[in-house]
Every structure is written in structure tokens, then in C-alpha cells.
Amino acid sequence: MLFLLSQPLLFSYFRSSCSWRVRIALALKDIEYDLHPVSLIKNGGEQYSEEYKKVNPMQQVPALRIDGFTLNQSLAIIEYLDETRPNPPLFPKDPKRRAQVRMISDHITAGIQPLQNLYVLEKIGDTKLEWAQHFIIRGFQALEKMLQDSAGQYCVGDQVTMADLCLVPQVANADRFKVDMALYPTITRINQSLLELDAFLVTHPSRQPDTPPELRAKTP
């Protein structure tokens, strides 16, 4: 698999919440990049190919080739982008606020999302809907309380941070698994505010090159 890297190359799947986080970061920072779709379903999952294993030994998306090396794990990618391309910043200057950003991000990306991702659900079988709902509800009950202490317009104050990049894809997952979002007014309010921003809209799963036609956003 050879690519001419004139700009960053993102290995992504349209519906992957981990990939969506990184797409948002790239859009917010106005970083142009090439996209290489990796279907998690086609042919049993393209992420399991020997070709892709050379890109990411964990056989997951996303992976980002940038600055002469390859990164995987969405939060590591986002933090690298923020450290090397700092505008606009995705972390507040205040240490306590920065800690809150990391706390919320870790809560979502370690405490909720991995328990309802495709690989896990394939192992669960017929009860996968109930399984996913259980862990999203459990995580959102805690997250709602956390956000009541940290939120302004967004997850931590009035600045878009890495926590917001984690929140929006997870709410989309909750919608897919028919979680009643009326129970989480703070999460819902922040999510709606974020979805008004261009960076969240243009990177939406319904607007990706590999989005199936039946799931594409309808254009006027």
C-alpha cells in the first residue's frame, strides 16, 4: 500500500465515532488531508487485512499518517494535532479546566464507547441492543452530572475542546441505539450547540465519501 504523502492521510470509516473525533479536529484546525476509507464491514472487515495491519497493528480506525509517521488512537492523534498545530486550541489554559477536558474525554472514550463498538457487539449476539443501551445509559447518567459542574456553552466552559469532539459522536451512537436523550438535558443541549458548527457538520458520518447512498444527508 503506497501513498504519496503530500498532506496528511486519514484512514477512516464513515460511522466510526473514533474516526469522527479526528475528522472534527482536522476540520477545526483547517488541516487539509487525504482520506482512505476502511470499511469495517465489507469482506469481513477491511481493517483485518494484512495491508491495513501494517498501518495499525490493532486493526482499528482511525490512523493518521502525518509528519513522516503514523499515529493511531484518536485522543493521541487529537493531542498531537493540538501540540503541533495549536490554533484554535482544543484545551483551556487553566490546569483544572484541562483536567476536566481529559476526564470527560476519557469517560467517553474508555468508559462508554469501547463497550458498544462493532467488535464487541459482534461477540454479544442477539442481545447487542440491550447491551449497548445499558452501557450508554450508565455512562450518560454519570456524564450528565459531570457536565453540570464543567459546562458553559460546551462541555468545559465556552471553548470547544477535545471533550466536545468526543461527545458528539457518542450522542450519535446513543441515537442509533435508541437511548432516550430526554433524560440527559445538559448533554442534549451541548450536542445541539456543537452540531451548529461547520466542523461538526462537514465531518458528520452522513457526509463522508464512504457513506452508503441510503445514509447520506439529503441536500436541498
Side-chain angles (χ1 to χ4, degrees):
M1 190 181 295
L2 296 176
F3 298 94
L4 297 176
L5 298 184
S6 57
Q7 56 189 15
L9 175 65
L10 177 65
F11 297 83
S12 172
Y13 178 58
F14 80 101
R15 189 176 260 171
S16 159
S17 54
C18 303
S19 298
W20 190 4
R21 296 169 202 150
V22 174
R23 295 197 302 263
I24 298 167
L26 290 164
L28 283 168
K29 292 178 177 294
D30 199 24
I31 300 170
E32 293 187 2
Y33 63 95
D34 293 319
L35 188 142
H36 183 78
V38 179
S39 174
L40 304 188
I41 297 175
K42 188 185 300 181
N43 300 321
E46 293 176 345
Q47 73 274 28
Y48 299 124
S49 70
E50 288 302 314
E51 277 187 308
Y52 189 69
K53 191 175 182 179
K54 296 173 184 176
V55 175
N56 184 352
M58 194 63 178
Q59 298 172 295
Q60 297 173 337
V61 290
L64 181 68
R65 284 186 174 169
I66 187 170
D67 300 339
F69 77 126
T70 302
L71 275 170
N72 57 62
Q73 298 300 327
S74 62
L75 298 194
I77 294 171
I78 292 167
E79 292 210 39
Y80 177 78
L81 292 175
D82 203 54
E83 290 170 0
T84 58
R85 293 143 175 93
N87 292 312
L90 296 176
F91 289 87
K93 292 182 179 180
D94 178 72
K96 292 181 181 178
R97 290 295 208 179
R98 292 173 73 88
Q100 287 179 314
V101 169
R102 290 191 170 98
M103 175 181 69
I104 293 166
S105 300
D106 286 345
H107 178 80
I108 294 170
T109 64
I112 305 176
Q113 187 273 330
L115 293 162
Q116 46 91 107
N117 72 7
L118 179 62
Y119 183 83
V120 170
L121 294 180
E122 286 175 342
K123 303 295 183 184
I124 299 301
D126 294 339
T127 60
K128 61 184 178 181
L129 177 61
E130 293 81 2
W131 172 280
Q133 287 176 338
H134 170 79
F135 286 105
I136 294 171
I137 290 168
R138 181 173 181 267
F140 273 13
Q141 287 173 341
L143 181 60
E144 179 73 14
K145 294 178 181 178
M146 293 162 63
L147 291 173
Q148 288 169 6
D149 292 331
S150 67
Q153 185 175 4
Y154 305 122
C155 284
V156 180
D158 298 326
Q159 172 186 350
V160 175
T161 68
M162 183 171 71
D164 299 298
L165 278 57
C166 298
L167 180 77
V168 169
Q170 186 55 55
V171 174
N173 287 339
D175 289 338
R176 281 179 57 213
F177 291 113
K178 300 178 173 61
V179 172
D180 183 4
M181 290 304 300
L183 299 172
Y184 314 107
T186 309
I187 295 174
T188 298
R189 175 185 62 78
I190 295 169
N191 182 67
Q192 290 172 344
S193 295
L194 290 164
L195 286 175
E196 294 176 0
L197 303 178
D198 285 345
F200 290 79
L201 290 174
V202 300
T203 58
H204 192 279
S206 65
R207 292 177 166 87
Q208 297 311 297
D210 55 328
T211 305
E214 66 273 15
L215 296 178
R216 284 195 174 278
K218 293 181 174 62
T219 54

